[in-house]
Amino acid sequence: MKKTLSFPHFLASIFALALISLPNFASSSHHDYQEALSKAILFFEGQRSGFLPQDQRQSWRANSALSDGWTYNTDLTGGYYDAGDNVKFGFPMAFTTTMLAWSVIEFGDSMPPNELRNTLVAIRWATDYLLKTLSQPNRIFVQVGNPIIDHNCWERPEDMDTARTVYAVDSPNPASDVAGETAAALAASSMAFKSSDPGYSDTLLRNAKKAFELADTYRGAYSDNPDVRDGVCPFYCDFDGYQDELLWGAAWLSRVTQDSGFFDYIQNNGKTLGAEENINEFGWDNKHAGLNVLISKEVLEGNMYTLESYKASADSFMCTLIPDSSSSHIEYTPGGLIYKPGGSNLQHVTSISFLLLVYAHYLSRTSQSLNCGNINVSPTTLRQIAKKQVDYILGDNPMGMSYMVGYGDHFPQRIHHRGSSLPSIKDHPQPIACKEGSVYFNSSSPNPNVLVGALVGGPGEDDVYNDDRADFRKSEPTTYINAPFVGVLAYFVANPDPN
């Protein structure tokens, strides 16, 4: 039998929930979210591939990979290295781009004008590259660099002498996952650039539609293709299927264009493309929780009740995050950090925190709350959970450590990152060959170049972080950890107290 709460008990339950029984750690009681935001954006300049501009601020970096694409007689320079290596993986790069653009769409108004500009610059560094990946008919370039050979070396991107193998998928071979995420990235970015550069916005949207058509016409996972499998697996294999990227790409195109065709696609293909499966995941490989939150906006604000099942899945996901909810099943560390096994844990923390804030935004704009069976949850509560995650990352944790490089007094010094751990070419102009970098990798000294703003993989389920360069699951930064955090920090710059 469903138990209903009297009004005083209801208030008490909301109050108890608002305190969310996660530990508090006295660190800096008020974090400088604006400083953290500018550093989170600055990180992307340390990940740049290609010809660097005059205003490059991570000044220990220099030009790299200037001949990418030559084997296909095409220009594939630019874009981002995904993590601490020197490979350009298209799948996570596109997801990173989508999340940066979504950050601007939802929280750009909260960003100081110069940081909004810097975020758009970071997005454009990626979208200029993604446009190049679609530059040839019936083909999408999905990766540059042989990761096996690359991971055998410890060398600066500026010295790279490993194979810059280009991985392309030609129709009718499918790449629905990468093409679908690229469609989402370009569509979301076209929305982000709409007011500042309408011409570029139009170009992005036109190519987003092209990418989606490629994704939908030839359905299948790119990593099932023997021509690319050895290059993309096991690093960025499609483990969770390509269907979510088709819905995700269509959802973004629907939001940007307001075209009923994309709306119908989401409505009609939800069941066949598994919209109600794996709804508690969100990251570079699985878009379901983000997809459901994104589409919920249409249900909440546009009264599109035919999409109600997506909102129900979003509600269900949010309820798993509430410690006092009967459907809670997300694990937290003793110190209060969301934890999912598998390494690089902060990718989950930042993306989930982003979804919490976006969903709270949609609910509060329509004066709604979340029903989690035994309790009602306010948008404020969702924001409080997100704030605890942010403050943990910035230093309110058992280690008293900021997991953002360059923020606070105590942060990771030995991150798993080639360019950061090797002397810069300004300090050591002679090339450092593939195996010559090992001495720096094995050194216990702090990295000579501070990759300001990088979020590392983070502590283990026991809240412990050993600052060990070799432990890449904890010490390696990635673009897709940082990207959602940009939006999260932008929200807290404008709303430091979510109550």
Side-chain angles (χ1 to χ4, degrees), residues 379-454:
T380 299
T381 300
L382 299 182
R383 293 183 181 120
Q384 287 167 333
I385 298 173
K387 187 173 190 294
K388 283 203 181 288
Q389 300 307 304
V390 173
D391 291 348
Y392 183 110
I393 289 171
L394 295 180
D396 298 1
N397 57 61
M399 301 282 294
M401 174 178 257
S402 157
Y403 291 106
M404 175 183 280
V405 174
Y407 178 89
D409 299 327
H410 183 37
F411 55 81
Q413 304 285 327
R414 298 165 189 83
I415 66 172
H416 183 96
H417 190 278
R418 287 157 178 75
S420 169
S421 67
L422 292 155
S424 76
I425 63 171
K426 293 177 176 64
D427 297 330
H428 188 298
Q430 303 82 11
I432 300 170
C434 170
K435 294 299 183 187
E436 289 175 3
S438 303
V439 62
Y440 299 100
F441 175 77
N442 294 319
S443 160
S444 59
S445 301
N447 289 8
N449 309 307
V450 180
L451 181 54
V452 175

Side-chain angles (χ1 to χ4, degrees), residues 135-153:
S135 60
Q136 296 186 358
N138 300 312
R139 170 179 287 163
I140 182 168
F141 295 104
V142 296
Q143 184 171 314
V144 183
N146 181 312
I148 309 296
I149 300 172
D150 178 273
H151 291 179
N152 252 336
C153 293

